[in-house]
Amino acid sequence: MIAMPKEQFLALRRQVIEKDFSRMNDMQKQAVFCTEGPLLILAGAGSGKTTVVVNRIAQILRYGKAWDSSFVPEEVTDADVAACEAYLRGEAELDDEVRSHLSVSACPPWRVMAITFTNKAAGELKDRLCNMLGEAGNDIWASTFHSSCARILRRHGERLGYSRHFTIYDSDDTKRLMKSVLKEMAVSEKIMAPRTALNEISHAKDSLVSPEEYARRSGGDFRLQMIAKAYIEYQKHLKANDAMDFDDLIVNTVKLFAECPDVLEEYADKFRYLMVDEYQDTNHAQYVLIKQLASKHGNLCVVGDDDQSIYKFRGATIENIMNFEETFPNAQVIRLEQNYRSTQNILDAANAVISNNMGRKGKTLWTSNGAGAKLHLISVENEQEEAQKVADKILEGVAKGRRFSDYAVLYRMNSQSLALERTFAKSGIPHRIIGGTRFYERREIRDMLAYLSVINNPEDEIRLRRIINVPKRGIGDRSVDNAAQIGAQIGESVYSVLCHAWDFPALSRSSAKLLDF
């Protein structure tokens, strides 16, 4: 035990914790030290939200509830106090053992879940956590919504009638499947495009509307009735193929937790702290999932910006962030308004535009970076003139001593690059396009993944149809359609039928090619 009075020790502990996070501004530190209960962090653009998330997790793992706690651990000694005082004077570093003596209910890394919206963001979060915490950073469950749900369903999907090696269909696979469904329904693509049906179904799943509920809501609307039937058949085919689309990963996890309370109990108990990034872009299904996972401990921290909600067309609902305090009583709200990325002139322009937004909680971004250069707005007649203006600006700068590599051109959509590329080529401006077709979206990569998927899950008819004639083997759609009809009649998968194709007259002419495949 220590001889130091309790109040003096608590003040010393706070000073040590504050020094550990001294590089952060006051509002960032408030967010880092607020660990218990629901917390909404309204993070403006360029305000260091990832830094806050990383440091908040580090604080939870190192010190737990120590910042606001009046508890003094019995293992604290006078030697620990002396080490803390030396650390505060800058005379020595503080080792992990002393820090552990200062902690109160420090959380093991495997009991922290951080949900991001992209794999890139999840990877960056893990890298930064490992740099700060060492190997412990790898034990934190940091992943996207879809990756987290896939991981849960791989373990427990059998409770919903799926195998553990179910296939996850990407957009290309789902489009193929919907084409097949509409063909079975004798619906021309001119009447109902596969992408239109898939978008409607995706919105339904975002709102946790089942095929049966969608059919009930369709009323007398012929178009909605057609989509409802396609939705029902689409889900039947997915289940028969032991497959899920991306939306199903979240929908089925919500369903799993609702129908299997023991599974929900396992995960809700496991994750003592739950953090969600880009909360303004969550949809209803994701909101329900988050609420399920936070139901045991209630330590939910969401980070978002009501002024950056741009995914309403994907089903995102701004109400999730606007109603956070009503949904989670006693929630705290912390605003991060200091911007580290821009100059004040840029922020003033942004604030002037954003202030007119409907339905926002309100914040004003500011910076210590100075006023900076003024903004220039140039009006043009068309995209060709726009591209020429950009080219002229670059050539003018290069003539004055700049390099071509000093310039970057940002555009909203890939289709906008065409005019720029043509103009740059004519003007002799060397350039390269960043982005383009992603590796996993290339046809040959999709084909290879389809082969691996069929090896892993022979029930996967959609991936089977993709590869059966790639490379060319002389196997047409009709042979596969015949095999599918035979399979439906005798209760076998298409792949199983192909394995003994010689038994069926309808497949006799192509049986040798099918068996070679």
Side-chain angles (χ1 to χ4, degrees):
M1 293 293 291
I2 55 172
M4 175 183 284
K6 179 178 178 180
E7 291 74 15
Q8 194 174 344
F9 169 77
L10 296 178
L12 179 69
R13 182 168 68 188
R14 273 202 164 203
Q15 290 172 32
V16 169
I17 296 173
E18 187 153 17
K19 182 174 180 179
D20 273 8
F21 301 96
S22 58
R23 292 185 178 181
M24 313 190 75
N25 65 43
D26 290 343
M27 298 309 293
Q28 289 175 331
K29 280 191 277 193
Q30 275 191 40
V32 166
F33 299 148
C34 178
T35 62
E36 306 307 300
L39 170 65
L40 168 60
I41 301 175
L42 288 172
S47 61
K49 66 169 185 175
T50 305
T51 298
V52 168
V53 171
V54 169
N55 282 272
R56 187 173 186 272
I57 293 174
Q59 204 280 138
I60 288 168
L61 268 56
R62 281 181 184 170
Y63 299 112
K65 306 175 184 178
W67 177 261
D68 285 318
S69 176
S70 59
F71 175 72
V72 179
E74 290 184 4
E75 58 268 27
V76 177
T77 65
D78 288 328
D80 293 329
V81 170
C84 290
E85 291 173 337
Y87 173 63
L88 292 173
R89 291 194 299 269
E91 297 172 357
E93 288 300 312
L94 208 58
D95 62 40
D96 290 340
E97 184 178 1
V98 175
R99 282 198 172 92
S100 70
H101 291 170
L102 301 181
S103 69
V104 177
S105 300
C107 185
W110 56 270
R111 300 196 69 179
V112 175
M113 184 183 208
I115 298 178
T116 65
F117 261 77
T118 66
N119 288 319
K120 182 180 178 182
E124 179 188 348
L125 186 62
K126 276 245 176 184
D127 289 344
R128 292 179 64 170
L129 285 168
C130 288
N131 288 336
M132 181 174 280
L133 302 168
E135 284 300 309
N138 285 319
D139 295 330
I140 293 163
W141 192 313
S143 61
T144 64
F145 274 103
H146 295 101
S147 295
S148 298
C149 290
R151 192 170 169 183
I152 292 168
L153 291 169
R154 291 288 181 207
R155 281 193 62 201
H156 305 283
E158 292 170 345
R159 303 281 289 270
L160 298 179
Y162 293 88
S163 73
R164 294 193 175 192
H165 55 260
F166 65 84
T167 302
I168 301 172
Y169 280 2
D170 61 19
S171 58
D172 194 49
D173 299 320
T174 58
K175 188 176 179 181
R176 284 171 177 268
L177 178 55
M178 183 52 71
K179 276 187 173 183
S180 176
V181 167
L182 293 175
K183 187 177 178 181
E184 289 175 10
M185 292 170 56
V187 175
S188 166
E189 290 190 27
K190 293 180 180 178
I191 296 174
M192 176 66 67
R195 180 55 55 200
T196 301
L198 287 168
N199 286 340
E200 287 288 337
I201 291 169
S202 180
H203 286 313
K205 290 182 178 181
D206 287 343
S207 301
L208 295 178
V209 176
S210 68
E212 295 74 22
E213 177 63 22
Y214 192 93
R216 282 194 292 272
R217 293 183 184 183
S218 63
D221 189 310
F222 176 74
R223 178 177 174 275
L224 293 180
Q225 288 175 347
M226 189 188 307
I227 293 172
K229 186 177 179 182
Y231 188 4
I232 291 169
E233 293 303 314
Y234 174 75
Q235 290 304 121
K236 283 182 181 177
H237 280 68
L238 281 172
K239 194 70 177 287
N241 291 346
D242 193 21
M244 302 184 200
D245 63 20
F246 282 117
D247 295 319
D248 285 331
L249 293 174
I250 296 173
V251 171
N252 283 335
T253 305
V254 170
K255 183 179 179 183
L256 175 72
F257 286 160
E259 295 181 1
C260 306
D262 57 313
V263 179
L264 173 59
E265 172 66 22
E266 176 186 342
Y267 287 95
D269 181 63
K270 175 178 180 175
F271 298 119
R272 194 197 298 176
Y273 293 95
L274 177 63
M275 270 164 272
V276 183
D277 195 9
E278 305 290 2
Y279 191 65
Q280 77 279 355
D281 293 331
T282 53
N283 58 40
H284 179 68
Q286 291 163 337
Y287 155 76
V288 173
L289 176 68
I290 292 163
K291 197 171 181 184
Q292 288 173 323
L293 287 169
S295 59
K296 179 75 178 285
H297 299 289
N299 297 323
L300 170 64
C301 169
V302 302
V303 184
D305 184 0
D306 47 321
D307 292 326
Q308 294 189 64
S309 179
I310 59 173
Y311 289 120
K312 186 174 182 180
F313 70 96
R314 288 189 191 170
T317 171
I318 191 66
E319 284 75 19
N320 288 350
I321 201 167
M322 297 300 294
N323 299 335
F324 186 82
E325 293 144 283
E326 296 174 22
T327 308
F328 301 96
N330 303 316
Q332 296 192 56
V333 179
I334 295 174
R335 287 172 168 79
L336 304 182
E337 297 174 306
Q338 183 174 357
N339 177 285
Y340 293 92
R341 188 184 296 160
S342 305
T343 60
Q344 192 61 50
N345 278 331
I346 291 173
L347 296 180
D348 288 344
N351 288 329
V353 174
I354 292 169
S355 63
N356 296 304
N357 284 4
M358 300 291 289
R360 64 189 296 261
K361 285 183 170 288
K363 60 186 174 303
T364 302
L365 298 180
W366 62 275
T367 185
S368 58
N369 292 339
K374 290 186 177 181
L375 280 68
H376 294 271
L377 173 66
I378 300 173
S379 298
V380 293
E381 292 291 329
N382 51 50
E383 60 183 3
Q384 286 75 29
E385 186 183 350
E386 179 183 54
Q388 192 60 56
K389 289 275 188 186
V390 173
D392 292 344
K393 187 75 174 175
I394 293 171
L395 292 171
E396 180 186 325
V398 171
K400 293 178 180 178
R402 288 187 178 276
R403 296 169 299 177
F404 287 113
S405 59
D406 290 336
Y407 292 90
V409 182
L410 307 181
Y411 44 84
R412 293 190 319 281
M413 300 178 294
N414 285 331
S415 60
Q416 291 180 295
S417 73
L418 183 59
L420 290 163
E421 290 181 72
R422 286 175 174 169
T423 304
F424 286 179
K426 282 197 312 183
S427 304
I429 298 175
H431 61 279
R432 61 192 178 108
I433 305 296
I434 307 297
T437 303
R438 296 177 183 175
F439 180 78
Y440 287 105
E441 292 177 357
R442 295 175 185 174
R443 179 179 295 176
E444 63 273 22
I445 302 304
R446 285 180 179 274
D447 291 342
M448 288 303 299
L449 290 173
Y451 271 100
L452 294 172
S453 294
V454 173
I455 291 169
N456 182 58
N457 176 17
E459 306 290 314
D460 187 349
E461 181 184 336
I462 294 301
R463 299 270 173 87
L464 177 65
R465 283 178 177 270
R466 180 185 184 101
I467 62 173
I468 198 165
N469 203 36
V470 178
K472 296 290 185 183
R473 300 185 176 88
I475 301 174
D477 289 341
R478 183 162 187 174
S479 295
V480 184
D481 289 341
N482 288 340
Q485 289 175 8
I486 293 167
Q489 291 167 5
I490 65 176
E492 290 186 12
S493 67
V494 175
Y495 185 87
S496 178
V497 170
L498 298 183
C499 288
H500 57 113
W502 64 84
D503 288 341
F504 309 104
L507 300 176
S508 58
R509 291 182 61 185
S510 56
S511 62
K513 295 173 183 176
L514 294 171
L515 289 169
D516 283 344
F517 167 75

